[in-house]
Amino acid sequence: MIIYAPLWPLGQGKIIKILEHAKNTVVGTFEFNKNFGFVVPDDKSFGTDIFIYGFSMGTHMASYVASQNGEKAPFAGLILEAPFNTLLEVARAHVWIPLPLELIVRDKYDNLALIQKIRTPLLIMAGTDDETIPAGLAEDLFAAAPEPKQLVIYRGGGHSDLYNFRNYRDVLAWLKKYEKN
């Protein structure tokens, strides 16, 4: 998961000041899931200029953070590249023989449940030729998400090559649309 701060690299000084401030002052509360942790800022306006970017499995962590804090301190936006609806559905896309996958897949990573709680602008990107996470799983996630949202499907795009389709242009255009001045 990557957290993007607008105006980078011009915003580096601000980020450094925040980090320096954090050495001497409590700036938030540490919260954790069973697999990762994060800090929820005490200043509720802190996240309003932060975009969260998740790729592949990182889309779950990004969605989790946005869903836990979306109503308390909305982020500027959430970007999910090659996301999935649930880890169980990813497993089903790869396992062709009949197995009780519900019993085998222990971690649910249910982005479908999380996405419904998110109250921040959303960009979802996927490729039609992704052999790791089928684009249909991203489309399912998009269908369940509240507005505002945007879906970009790259014809011929794979799992790790959307930059070859210049997805960064779509990301930058979307960031400009939702960046707060």
Side-chain angles (χ1 to χ4, degrees):
M1 179 177 64
I2 299 170
I3 296 182
Y4 163 83
L7 303 176
W8 181 83
L10 299 176
Q12 283 181 339
K14 184 175 181 183
I15 293 169
I16 290 169
K17 286 179 187 172
I18 291 168
L19 293 175
E20 289 295 324
H21 179 69
K23 287 181 184 176
N24 302 319
T25 308
V26 175
V27 294
T29 305
F30 183 76
E31 293 187 13
F32 60 94
N33 189 340
K34 70 177 185 179
N35 296 318
F36 57 92
F38 56 92
V39 174
V40 177
D42 291 334
D43 180 354
K44 299 307 178 198
S45 66
F46 180 77
T48 60
D49 61 351
I50 295 174
F51 291 89
I52 302 172
Y53 195 113
F55 170 74
S56 190
M57 289 297 288
T59 63
H60 177 70
M61 282 58 102
S63 296
Y64 181 81
V65 170
S67 73
Q68 296 302 300
N69 301 301
E71 292 180 26
K72 292 188 275 185
F75 294 98
L78 174 62
I79 303 167
L80 303 177
E81 182 177 342
F84 55 93
N85 50 10
T86 68
L87 191 58
L88 180 61
E89 291 302 317
V90 175
R92 284 189 176 132
H94 292 281
V95 178
W96 299 98
I97 57 175
L99 290 173
L101 294 175
E102 297 82 9
L103 302 174
I104 297 170
V105 178
R106 295 178 66 199
D107 291 320
K108 301 303 177 211
Y109 288 177
D110 190 352
N111 284 342
L112 207 51
L114 295 175
I115 204 77
Q116 297 169 23
K117 299 176 188 176
I118 293 171
R119 301 292 178 255
T120 189
L122 173 68
L123 172 62
I124 294 179
M125 301 173 291
T128 59
D129 293 354
D130 188 332
E131 294 179 3
T132 305
I133 300 176
L137 302 184
E139 292 170 330
D140 290 347
L141 194 61
F142 178 78
E147 295 286 344
K149 59 185 178 179
Q150 180 180 343
L151 173 68
V152 181
I153 301 291
Y154 298 92
R155 186 166 307 283
H159 188 68
S160 300
D161 69 349
L162 297 185
Y163 58 87
N164 289 333
F165 296 82
R166 298 189 174 160
N167 73 322
Y168 56 85
R169 288 183 179 172
D170 293 323
V171 170
L172 291 173
W174 186 85
L175 287 170
K176 284 183 185 275
K177 183 176 177 181
Y178 291 104
E179 183 178 52
K180 295 180 174 110
N181 295 326

